[in-house]
Amino acid sequence: MDLMKEFHPIIDDAEDNSVVRCNMTSCEKCIGRSVSMCSALKDHEVKLLSDISMNISKRSKQVICAEGELAEYLYNVQSGCVRISKMLSDGRRQVIDFLFPGDYFGLVCNNGYNYSAETITDVNLCRMPRNAILEKIKEIPAFSKKILDITIHELLETQEQRLLLGRKSAKERLCTFLLTINARSSNGGHMKKNHIFLPMSRADIADYLGLTIETVSRQFTILAKDNIISLENSPLVRIIDIEELQLIASGG
Amino acid sequence: MDLMKEFHPIIDDAEDNSVVRCNMTSCEKCIGRSVSMCSALKDHEVKLLSDISMNISKRSKQVICAEGELAEYLYNVQSGCVRISKMLSDGRRQVIDFLFPGDYFGLVCNNGYNYSAETITDVNLCRMPRNAILEKIKEIPAFSKKILDITIHELLETQEQRLLLGRKSAKERLCTFLLTINARSSNGGHMKKNHIFLPMSRADIADYLGLTIETVSRQFTILAKDNIISLENSPLVRIIDIEELQLIASGG
DNA sequence: CGTGCATTTGACCACCTTCAATAAAGGTGG
DNA sequence: CCACCTTTATTGAAGGTGGTCAAATGCACG
């Protein structure tokens, strides 16, 4: 797990979890993000929001919030990787998404959270009270529009995923997954080109793609044997033939 | 197809499609709906909206809007059943949803419509210009909140569907489908209890559930043989044992 | 009554799952 | 630092679910 630390060296070793009040400095870093909802706010409004927001640090494999729990907070991932999942009553799990820096969660829920969120790596989060956000929606139309845009974007992605689960083969699913992660997790820019950092387990990927661990593993092996990817340095995957990957992903 | 007419006797036989300006009377009927976005509007605002909205009637099996097409309008289904679907590049189709009275479509899209909408039965629609709606979002916060609620609801349903496609067996999928339609399509109240009206084809259901026509048909037969449902009068399905149906749907 | 389309049913096969064994990686304590 | 144990990943063999292909049946409509 050396690579884990290498790519997520954010958290002070002194303590497992920390909660500190946000300051404008941390928010200003955050504002830079293109899809950030804060971009719809004036400086003094950001100040108001930052005053009631917290910077949260969590170690890997910890629960951030649980399905059904009263939804008090909205979160923004600042560093690391978070897993969002739902459970069927019989214990089967569906991983809804893997979140990377810039992604939100906790916005879309009916009273309680409708999914659980757990850290996969060490993670830094911005935690905002949902009440305050919902107030802002009523007050600031531009902010409201931004929230709607984020939700719409999430909806479009979920629809794509539905198509994947409904119609694609195991191989197509894995290729699509690799391309998606490649596009989304640039990991703050310090990833070598064509290298994908996969901090999640095979079980996580399987539950995301609607497959079993074994099938995922086999498909990885096949892709490596066909010289489309390389699995040499473990949590990293190197894409050798991205055109082929795209071809398979789109059903060719 | 007599039953089709019986349950959707709305359209004047004189013409295939009609387009007439909305009036307050038709809007007032519409306002009654609990999730209607118009409920967030004042009377005079509804008047403004109704002035630029149209009541559209379409016969069955007609295209309302096509994937990719410039998204000019937002629609509300007033009667009948509409199918929303997407295409994969290789021709595979994913049915996103079946819409019933009170449901919206055309709201969530990035520039062009991101799905096609076709009529399954004869249909009455309320057609509103998207521009005007997006203006209202900026002007009226309560309206904006309503639109967000509708989008969030759509997202939650899509996530449920993902779980279904990713983790459920053919039998579980069909049972879930029957229960969902049973809950949603009360068909204006003139359906006998425990009777589901299924105007869509087996192909539609298959593409909705991520299965083949044959598998859907087989599962229908099995459920009928097990005395869980009855298929005696064709587009209608009678639920005999709803507890069993729920048990199977939830993975028992 | 015949035509065309949707649905049902059957036979066979492929893909993915399940079950099981092995290998590799990580964590802990001496 | 290494031995031991636990967890995760890989690989193999067998089995089942659902897909594919094909034929038959049913149903609406001319």
Side-chain angles (χ1 to χ4, degrees):
Chain A
M1 280 290 167
D2 280 332
L3 275 165
M4 288 293 199
K5 297 277 175 229
E6 183 181 333
F7 284 97
H8 298 278
I10 310 109
I11 296 177
D12 187 337
D13 278 329
E15 48 185 330
D16 266 17
N17 300 301
S18 77
V19 180
V20 299
R21 188 162 298 282
C22 280
N23 52 50
M24 278 304 268
T25 316
S26 64
C27 280
E28 269 156 19
K29 269 194 301 180
C30 192
I31 284 172
R33 309 212 162 276
S34 57
V35 295
S36 167
M37 56 191 204
C38 297
S39 66
L41 299 177
K42 304 261 191 313
D43 275 0
H44 70 277
E45 292 165 343
V46 173
K47 179 70 172 65
L48 285 174
L49 195 56
S50 81
D51 283 346
I52 54 173
S53 298
M54 293 290 192
N55 279 324
I56 309 271
S57 294
K58 276 193 178 287
R59 290 251 166 252
S60 64
K61 292 162 211 239
Q62 311 234 341
V63 176
I64 303 169
C65 63
E67 192 173 352
E69 198 178 88
L70 182 67
E72 280 188 272
Y73 302 111
L74 165 66
Y75 295 88
N76 180 257
V77 179
Q78 296 180 321
S79 71
C81 181
V82 170
R83 166 174 24 95
I84 301 290
S85 58
K86 279 174 88 94
M87 280 297 215
L88 276 179
S89 51
D90 60 359
R92 284 176 290 186
R93 188 181 64 156
Q94 176 72 40
V95 170
I96 302 288
D97 207 356
F98 300 104
L99 302 184
F100 296 97
D103 292 332
Y104 290 91
F105 67 94
L107 178 60
V108 172
C109 49
N110 38 8
N111 200 13
Y113 291 112
N114 65 312
Y115 42 58
S116 300
E118 284 138 294
T119 59
I120 288 179
T121 63
D122 292 352
V123 160
N124 284 336
L125 300 162
C126 174
R127 189 187 76 183
M128 299 157 271
R130 285 188 85 238
N131 286 345
I133 301 293
L134 297 178
E135 282 305 312
K136 286 270 170 299
I137 288 180
K138 289 190 201 134
E139 291 164 22
I140 309 167
F143 186 67
S144 161
K145 183 68 171 51
K146 200 79 200 172
I147 297 275
L148 183 59
D149 285 346
I150 292 170
T151 310
I152 286 178
H153 183 254
E154 200 173 328
L155 179 53
L156 293 177
E157 285 207 339
T158 306
Q159 284 181 356
E160 282 302 319
Q161 194 65 12
R162 255 185 71 165
L163 216 148
L164 176 141
L165 293 172
R167 286 280 170 254
K168 289 191 176 181
S169 70
K171 195 171 197 176
E172 288 167 357
R173 290 182 202 197
L174 186 58
C175 290
T176 307
F177 170 74
L178 291 173
L179 289 170
T180 310
I181 298 293
N182 188 41
R184 286 183 51 195
S185 147
S186 60
N187 203 284
H190 55 58
M191 284 294 292
K192 270 179 259 171
K193 192 152 159 38
N194 288 335
H195 277 74
I196 315 174
F197 178 54
L198 292 185
M200 66 292 286
S201 70
R202 293 290 185 259
D204 288 340
I205 299 174
D207 285 343
Y208 180 67
L209 297 177
L211 300 167
T212 59
I213 300 174
E214 295 92 332
T215 302
V216 169
S217 180
R218 271 184 255 270
Q219 293 304 330
F220 265 115
T221 308
I222 292 171
L223 288 177
K225 281 215 179 92
D226 292 351
N227 265 303
I228 296 167
I229 60 171
S230 158
L231 300 169
E232 278 146 33
N233 27 2
S234 189
L236 255 59
V237 173
R238 183 165 58 91
I239 299 181
I240 299 172
D241 189 345
I242 197 162
E243 285 85 6
E244 187 63 20
L245 210 56
Q246 287 161 341
L247 192 65
I248 300 171
S250 63
Chain B
M1 284 291 163
D2 280 333
L3 276 166
M4 287 294 198
K5 296 279 176 229
E6 183 182 332
F7 284 95
H8 298 280
I10 310 108
I11 295 177
D12 186 339
D13 278 329
E15 48 184 329
D16 266 16
N17 301 301
S18 76
V19 179
V20 299
R21 188 161 297 282
C22 280
N23 51 50
M24 278 302 269
T25 316
S26 64
C27 281
E28 269 156 18
K29 270 194 301 180
C30 193
I31 283 172
R33 311 213 159 275
S34 57
V35 296
S36 167
M37 56 188 204
C38 296
S39 66
L41 299 177
K42 304 263 192 309
D43 275 0
H44 71 276
E45 290 165 345
V46 173
K47 178 70 172 66
L48 285 174
L49 196 55
S50 81
D51 283 345
I52 54 172
S53 297
M54 292 291 192
N55 279 323
I56 309 271
S57 294
K58 276 193 178 287
R59 291 250 166 250
S60 65
K61 290 161 210 247
Q62 311 233 340
V63 176
I64 303 169
C65 63
E67 193 174 350
E69 198 179 87
L70 181 67
E72 278 188 274
Y73 302 111
L74 166 65
Y75 295 88
N76 179 256
V77 179
Q78 296 180 320
S79 72
C81 180
V82 170
R83 170 181 11 101
I84 301 290
S85 59
K86 279 174 88 96
M87 280 299 214
L88 276 181
S89 51
D90 59 1
R92 284 176 290 187
R93 187 182 64 154
Q94 175 75 36
V95 170
I96 302 289
D97 207 357
F98 299 104
L99 303 184
F100 295 97
D103 293 332
Y104 290 88
F105 67 94
L107 179 60
V108 173
C109 48
N110 38 9
N111 199 12
Y113 291 112
N114 67 311
Y115 42 58
S116 300
E118 284 138 294
T119 60
I120 288 180
T121 64
D122 292 352
V123 161
N124 285 336
L125 301 162
C126 175
R127 188 187 77 183
M128 298 155 273
R130 284 187 86 240
N131 284 346
I133 302 293
L134 296 178
E135 282 304 312
K136 287 269 170 298
I137 288 181
K138 287 189 203 135
E139 291 165 22
I140 310 169
F143 186 68
S144 159
K145 182 67 170 48
K146 201 79 201 174
I147 298 275
L148 181 60
D149 286 345
I150 292 170
T151 309
I152 285 177
H153 183 254
E154 201 173 326
L155 179 53
L156 292 176
E157 286 209 338
T158 307
Q159 284 180 357
E160 282 303 320
Q161 194 66 11
R162 263 184 63 164
L163 210 150
L164 176 139
L165 293 172
R167 283 282 167 251
K168 289 190 176 182
S169 70
K171 194 172 197 175
E172 288 167 356
R173 291 183 201 194
L174 186 58
C175 290
T176 307
F177 170 73
L178 290 174
L179 289 169
T180 310
I181 298 293
N182 188 41
R184 287 181 52 194
S185 147
S186 59
N187 203 316
H190 56 54
M191 283 294 292
K192 270 179 260 173
K193 193 152 158 39
N194 288 335
H195 277 73
I196 315 173
F197 179 54
L198 292 185
M200 66 291 286
S201 70
R202 293 289 185 260
D204 287 340
I205 299 173
D207 285 344
Y208 180 67
L209 297 177
L211 301 168
T212 59
I213 300 174
E214 294 92 330
T215 300
V216 170
S217 180
R218 272 184 256 270
Q219 294 302 331
F220 265 115
T221 308
I222 291 170
L223 289 177
K225 280 214 179 93
D226 292 350
N227 265 304
I228 296 166
I229 60 171
S230 158
L231 301 168
E232 276 146 32
N233 27 2
S234 190
L236 255 60
V237 173
R238 184 165 59 89
I239 300 182
I240 299 172
D241 189 345
I242 197 162
E243 285 85 7
E244 187 63 22
L245 210 56
Q246 286 161 341
L247 193 66
I248 300 171
S250 63

